[in-house]
Amino acid sequence: GGGGGGGGGGAPAYGSLPVPPRLASHVSGARSSDANELLGSDKHVYVAGHKVWTEGGIAFVVFAASSGAAPLANVSVAFQPPPFLKVVAIEGDPVPRPAGGGRVDLGAIGPAGGSVCAIATTVLCAAPSNGAAVRGQVSYSALGGAPATIDFSFKVDAADTLRPAPIDTGAFGANWGTNHAERKVAFASRTIKTPQAFMAAVQRVLHAHAVETLPATSEGIAAARLMGTQQLVLFHGRVAAAGGVELTVRSQDVGFSGNIAAVAQAGMA
């Protein structure tokens, strides 16, 4: 879910800030929340944003919005990705000046709801893991005040690197044996009582393509690929009659299969 905007204390409507049209091509894909989530704030600035799962990577969108009556100067945004992601571009509005080290200078923010936007585009550069984060800072100077910094972070796990793989049942079967790195998990679920509900959860939590639902046997199969590659990740699930989910994850790497299985269990239980 996303954070709402507005509210008392002069908070700007950060939840509904739109990506500027000039930057729309950098955020083509599903977003992590309908509204921007609040990432941090102080008495002058609210920082909010969201992730976008693009075809070949992950875009991190950050807004800095003024909550005061005075303009803010020397506004910059910096991004520090985890070891498995590499920042390949940072765009912004207004047009930023690159400052090195994953940071861009965006100039000034106008008073009372004025905002700037920065978007970091990342791609995969190593095997993804769970429990990671893209961290960053928004820095600025208030009129007559000392420079200030607001830290922010986006949680990132292995499932953030998955994209739907639109294959059919025949292709799923042909690839099942070659993707031999397997991890199985079984868990109770409050919400998954049918194979249809399992398939909906696989699409939502793991960004997978629903290949086939088998109601007669309470099974479902789905497929994803590692972003920026053709490496498949295959899922087979069975919803037990007594409740609970039995999930098998297959890929080319047992550690990666395990990371995905852990995300699945946490998101579907």
Side-chain angles (χ1 to χ4, degrees), residues 21 162 211 234 242:
L162 297 183
V211 177
L234 304 176

Side-chain angles (χ1 to χ4, degrees), residues 18 32 39-40 45 76 110 122 134 170 234 247:
S32 57
L39 303 175
V45 175
S76 69
T122 65
V134 168
L234 304 176
L247 174 68

Side-chain angles (χ1 to χ4, degrees), residues 60-263:
F60 297 89
V61 181
V62 172
F63 297 94
S66 169
S67 59
L72 305 173
N74 304 319
V75 180
S76 69
V77 182
F79 295 89
Q80 294 97 37
F84 60 85
L85 292 178
K86 177 174 67 173
V87 176
V88 292
I90 305 178
E91 306 292 339
D93 189 67
V95 177
R97 299 187 307 276
R103 184 169 69 89
V104 289
D105 293 330
L106 292 165
I109 302 179
S115 65
V116 296
C117 175
I119 301 174
T121 299
T122 65
V123 298
L124 202 62
C125 63
S129 59
N130 293 339
V134 168
R135 305 185 189 281
Q137 300 82 33
V138 172
S139 302
Y140 69 91
S141 297
L143 188 65
T149 299
I150 301 172
D151 293 325
F152 64 83
S153 68
F154 294 91
K155 293 180 180 179
V156 184
D157 58 40
D160 282 303
T161 68
L162 297 183
R163 301 293 177 269
I167 62 175
D168 61 17
T169 302
F172 182 95
N175 283 282
W176 185 256
T178 57
N179 286 274
H180 47 77
E182 181 177 279
R183 183 61 60 91
K184 292 177 178 283
V185 288
F187 52 91
S189 175
R190 297 184 305 275
T191 57
I192 300 174
K193 308 299 181 186
T194 66
Q196 292 85 354
F198 166 75
M199 295 296 273
V202 167
Q203 293 174 81
R204 174 178 54 84
V205 176
L206 302 174
H207 311 150
H209 167 69
V211 177
E212 187 176 5
T213 306
L214 304 163
T217 54
S218 292
E219 293 174 274
I221 55 175
R225 60 174 179 79
L226 193 60
M227 68 184 192
T229 78
Q230 295 304 312
Q231 181 180 326
L232 289 174
V233 184
L234 304 176
F235 305 99
H236 173 273
R238 178 181 287 108
V239 180
V245 176
E246 300 167 2
L247 174 68
T248 302
V249 181
R250 282 197 172 195
S251 73
Q252 295 287 332
D253 180 86
V254 69
F256 184 58
S257 294
N259 283 334
I260 295 298
V263 174

